[in-house]
Amino acid sequence: MTNRQPTLDEVAQRAGVSRGTVSRVMNNRQHVSGKAREAVERAVRELGYVPSMAARSLASQRRGAVVLAISSDDSALFSNLFFAEVITGINDVIEETDLELLLVLAASERGRNRLARILQSRGADGVLLLALRENDPLAKIAESGGVPVVHGGRPLERAPRHYVDADNRGGARQAVEHLIATGRRAIGTITGPLDMHAGVNRYLGFREAVALAGLGDERVAHADFSQAGGAAAMAELLDRHPDLDAVFVASDAMAVGALEVLRGRGRTVPGDVAVIGFNDIVTARHTSPPLTTIRQPIEALGREMTRMLVRLINDEKPTSLILPTELVIRESA
Amino acid sequence: MTNRQPTLDEVAQRAGVSRGTVSRVMNNRQHVSGKAREAVERAVRELGYVPSMAARSLASQRRGAVVLAISSDDSALFSNLFFAEVITGINDVIEETDLELLLVLAASERGRNRLARILQSRGADGVLLLALRENDPLAKIAESGGVPVVHGGRPLERAPRHYVDADNRGGARQAVEHLIATGRRAIGTITGPLDMHAGVNRYLGFREAVALAGLGDERVAHADFSQAGGAAAMAELLDRHPDLDAVFVASDAMAVGALEVLRGRGRTVPGDVAVIGFNDIVTARHTSPPLTTIRQPIEALGREMTRMLVRLINDEKPTSLILPTELVIRESA
DNA sequence: ATGAAAGCGCTAACAT
DNA sequence: ATGTTAGCGCTTTCAT
């Protein structure tokens, strides 16, 4: 059980070659003859040799690991399937590359310090950051680690150097175009917070689409992505624009609130008012009626973030990415 | 930026002591005089010294990390807030102990091999396993790593050596007792699969509670924890026992299906039939009526699993744990 | 209580 | 193409 693992030297001896050669084989280097390579591979197999990560990273000065840092109390991120999906995507790429994935929940001061320490101790070759809010201190900490950083989603102000994001604007446009295509004309929107990138861009997408169709863009209420906020905004919208026949709601959570208000006011959905959300949270399937919404390519987001990070670690120069969204038609629009 | 980190030797020099002493201080060892300790601590602070994990693990033969391995395609685990909560609990303890957390999705053959390699290369000091299904190959792989393993939840057959589980049986009993306390007498149950530990034990809890109250336990239908299964079982139950005035459903997903059938058959909830679920998934808040259910202490589960693992790593002999559940009263019962 | 010295198992630079 | 030689930065005996 606790049989000491064989070392590289033992493999070298068994294969009848030098340690240098074994090392070269283990790292797929060139300058190794076919027979030498074979001999080593056999020895490795026979001995069940697995290189020691610790020794390897000490000697090579790289860790063979990346860290995924999360400001976790952000429940929008953590709930739903978001996290599961993004992790799945990340894992796909991690598996291909033989890196390890370190998970750090860095919501608290303490967690942030941990991240800082890990980076300072060269505990990781790169950092993956998810859906940071405005001025999240994590960004600076990650940046100061001296290793590449890739953001999933982007803060409003300055776009990070390397990010992957969903096409919020395009998704919003897509949603409104669907509304238009199904005959709606008095289209309103409930926006998210306009100090968030997603909030702003979904609003811009709405405006773009109505403008393109020659419709008015005056039916607007602002909220905060929450269900309660969505309900309040829906009430406001209905009061100010009784003619409303469709509403693009910038998050599913808000849409749930909107649906409640609509029902309370005796408006049928989608009969009187069509409703379309954004995110495709699980709940969207279970509202009544089931919510038509815009789905983000979350697994792809994880995958592309990680690919980008791997490229950066290998000193390539990848470019930031925006991933397309998808319209999921259910019954509310 | 890429200023080389100071080494232990530099700290020693600056503090005017030997490397041995610095090492002892860094690891909170005794046999260090007050002044020596202080001098070292000052030097550490001034130099911003952070020990190299790689060197440390190479020299000490331990990794300073534990791995959380997941058979991820199990969506029951990954959806809801389960994952978020259990991770939060794990992270709490990890933070206290200065371990690192490695995440390995080991659903595929490839993922499993990765786990095996990590363990063989002494890449982790312990393994956390979550909610494995029957005969999951992960159990053996983890076991063969030569490091301690802690299970969250337990397989039906042989209980693992070290596990933390929720009190499925007690939770079920609690649910049924609530039904009884609110005046129900013709109580049925929709069980989960009886080849799963949770399935069996929730059923046992039901039987215990009705027996204790002198009620019959004949109103039973079996399903598979899924929404569709729950719907079918509800229909069956209603057909066979029209007198039913309450039902304990062994999972919220099934309860959602049951609620639909009840509505379809014109039975009001909780008027005609009270319904109580198990798990407290997010959706439970949004069914109509909102679902009364049994909540598992998921964050505590993560916390206790990790505590147990840490103890095992330190060669202590912790005992397995069963954590109490909580009744969440909403409107369906 | 502290210092000195010998590795931990690998990679990388330099020879050959 | 392969062998040789230093380390990588720490922990850990063993002395003292």
Side-chain angles (χ1 to χ4, degrees):
Chain A
M1 197 100 242
T2 317
N3 270 331
R4 208 180 41 66
Q5 291 291 325
T7 69
L8 183 148
D9 304 65
E10 285 160 18
V11 173
Q13 211 171 339
R14 171 113 180 192
V17 300
S18 71
R19 309 164 8 152
T21 299
V22 176
S23 175
R24 286 184 263 267
V25 172
M26 292 311 294
N27 295 285
N28 305 308
R29 289 286 201 316
Q30 40 220 238
H31 302 296
V32 182
S33 71
K35 36 189 65 179
R37 167 159 271 134
E38 257 176 61
V40 170
E41 279 165 354
R42 263 198 42 219
V44 165
R45 228 174 303 121
E46 292 173 2
L47 263 34
Y49 170 69
V50 177
S52 150
M53 278 305 296
R56 181 177 278 190
S57 23
L58 179 56
S60 68
Q61 298 293 58
R62 74 190 84 184
R63 185 36 161 49
V66 301
V67 23
L68 170 60
I70 301 184
S71 276
S72 75
D73 51 4
D74 184 349
S75 70
L77 190 171
F78 237 156
S79 53
N80 317 326
L81 290 173
F82 188 102
F83 192 71
E85 287 193 44
V86 81
I87 282 272
T88 303
I90 291 171
N91 190 69
D92 282 355
V93 179
I94 290 288
E95 272 187 5
E96 288 168 9
T97 53
D98 251 311
L99 285 166
E100 290 177 355
L101 180 62
L102 249 36
L103 188 61
V104 176
L105 261 45
S108 65
E109 190 57 31
R110 190 175 192 176
R112 273 182 239 117
N113 287 337
R114 261 173 61 72
L115 177 61
R117 284 184 75 82
I118 288 178
L119 293 181
Q120 278 171 53
S121 65
R122 290 235 146 276
D125 301 326
V127 184
L128 256 18
L129 250 32
L130 236 31
L132 295 190
R133 52 190 63 170
E134 232 24 5
N135 299 115
D136 194 307
L138 229 50
K140 246 165 292 176
I141 292 176
E143 230 61 69
S144 71
V147 295
V149 178
V150 173
H151 290 245
R154 55 199 142 148
L156 178 58
E157 30 191 51
R158 38 169 212 106
R161 251 165 83 39
H162 306 285
Y163 67 83
V164 181
D165 200 359
D167 187 4
N168 285 304
R169 187 158 173 172
R173 209 187 311 117
Q174 200 175 6
V176 177
E177 281 164 0
H178 172 68
L179 259 14
I180 294 170
T182 52
R184 311 290 171 160
R185 288 298 174 268
I187 305 176
T189 187
I190 295 176
T191 77
L194 296 187
D195 59 351
M196 288 178 64
H197 188 274
V200 172
N201 278 273
R202 290 174 195 177
Y203 181 37
L204 290 178
F206 163 82
R207 296 225 306 213
E208 236 167 86
V210 290
L212 247 43
L215 302 174
D217 65 356
E218 69 281 2
R219 299 176 191 81
V220 179
H222 303 292
D224 60 356
F225 279 149
S226 79
Q227 180 169 339
M234 187 72 244
E236 180 190 333
L237 217 47
L238 245 23
D239 289 343
R240 291 211 320 255
H241 306 279
D243 66 325
L244 196 79
D245 69 4
V247 55
F248 162 60
V249 189
S251 84
D252 286 353
M254 295 196 296
V256 169
L259 247 23
E260 282 168 3
V261 169
L262 251 8
R263 191 182 315 119
R265 302 264 186 126
R267 309 273 189 131
T268 64
V269 176
D272 297 334
V273 181
V275 176
I276 182 164
F278 206 112
N279 284 348
D280 196 19
I281 64 177
V282 251
T283 310
R285 253 173 287 257
H286 303 300
T287 52
S288 65
L291 191 63
T292 292
T293 188
I294 299 292
R295 188 177 197 299
Q296 307 197 51
I298 304 175
E299 194 173 323
L301 184 92
R303 216 164 26 230
E304 294 306 330
M305 284 175 67
T306 314
R307 265 200 242 292
M308 187 175 296
L309 187 59
V310 169
R311 291 210 186 94
L312 286 165
I313 290 173
N314 296 333
D315 279 319
E316 298 172 39
K317 303 275 171 265
T319 169
S320 288
L321 250 35
I322 294 183
L323 270 21
T325 54
E326 183 193 350
L327 174 65
V328 179
I329 300 182
R330 297 213 175 84
E331 296 168 27
S332 72
Chain B
M1 196 101 245
T2 316
N3 269 332
R4 209 178 40 64
Q5 290 291 325
T7 68
L8 182 148
D9 305 65
E10 286 160 17
V11 174
Q13 211 171 338
R14 172 114 180 191
V17 301
S18 72
R19 308 157 18 144
T21 301
V22 176
S23 174
R24 287 183 263 267
V25 171
M26 292 309 295
N27 296 285
N28 306 308
R29 289 286 203 315
Q30 40 221 236
H31 301 297
V32 181
S33 70
K35 37 189 68 177
R37 167 159 271 135
E38 257 174 60
V40 170
E41 278 165 354
R42 264 199 40 221
V44 165
R45 227 174 303 120
E46 292 173 3
L47 263 34
Y49 169 68
V50 177
S52 150
M53 277 304 297
R56 182 176 276 191
S57 19
L58 179 56
S60 67
Q61 297 294 58
R62 75 190 82 184
R63 187 30 163 50
V66 301
V67 22
L68 170 60
I70 300 184
S71 277
S72 76
D73 52 4
D74 185 349
S75 69
L77 191 170
F78 238 157
S79 52
N80 317 326
L81 290 174
F82 186 102
F83 192 72
E85 286 192 45
V86 81
I87 282 272
T88 303
I90 290 172
N91 189 70
D92 282 355
V93 179
I94 290 288
E95 271 186 7
E96 288 168 9
T97 54
D98 250 310
L99 285 166
E100 290 176 355
L101 180 62
L102 249 35
L103 187 61
V104 176
L105 261 46
S108 66
E109 190 58 30
R110 192 176 191 171
R112 274 182 237 116
N113 288 337
R114 262 174 60 74
L115 176 61
R117 284 184 74 82
I118 288 179
L119 293 181
Q120 279 171 51
S121 66
R122 289 235 147 274
D125 301 327
V127 184
L128 254 19
L129 250 31
L130 234 35
L132 295 191
R133 52 190 61 171
E134 231 26 2
N135 299 115
D136 195 308
L138 228 50
K140 246 166 290 176
I141 291 176
E143 228 60 70
S144 72
V147 295
V149 179
V150 173
H151 290 246
R154 55 199 143 149
L156 178 59
E157 31 190 50
R158 37 168 212 110
R161 251 166 84 41
H162 306 285
Y163 68 82
V164 181
D165 199 359
D167 187 5
N168 285 305
R169 189 161 173 167
R173 208 186 313 116
Q174 199 175 5
V176 177
E177 281 164 0
H178 172 68
L179 258 15
I180 294 170
T182 52
R184 310 291 170 160
R185 288 298 173 269
I187 304 176
T189 187
I190 296 176
T191 78
L194 296 188
D195 58 350
M196 288 178 66
H197 188 274
V200 172
N201 278 274
R202 291 174 195 177
Y203 180 37
L204 290 177
F206 163 83
R207 296 225 307 216
E208 236 168 86
V210 291
L212 247 44
L215 302 175
D217 65 356
E218 69 282 1
R219 299 176 191 80
V220 179
H222 303 292
D224 61 356
F225 278 150
S226 80
Q227 182 171 339
M234 188 71 246
E236 181 189 333
L237 217 47
L238 245 23
D239 289 341
R240 291 210 320 256
H241 306 278
D243 66 325
L244 196 79
D245 69 3
V247 55
F248 162 60
V249 189
S251 85
D252 286 352
M254 295 195 296
V256 169
L259 248 22
E260 282 168 3
V261 169
L262 253 8
R263 190 181 316 121
R265 303 265 186 124
R267 309 274 189 128
T268 63
V269 175
D272 297 333
V273 181
V275 175
I276 182 163
F278 206 112
N279 284 347
D280 196 19
I281 65 177
V282 250
T283 309
R285 252 172 288 256
H286 303 301
T287 53
S288 65
L291 192 64
T292 291
T293 187
I294 298 293
R295 187 175 198 300
Q296 307 198 51
I298 303 176
E299 194 173 322
L301 185 92
R303 215 163 28 231
E304 295 306 330
M305 284 175 69
T306 314
R307 265 201 241 292
M308 188 176 297
L309 187 59
V310 169
R311 292 213 184 92
L312 286 165
I313 290 173
N314 295 333
D315 279 319
E316 299 173 37
K317 305 274 171 261
T319 170
S320 288
L321 251 36
I322 294 183
L323 270 22
T325 55
E326 182 193 349
L327 173 65
V328 179
I329 300 183
R330 298 214 175 83
E331 297 168 28
S332 71

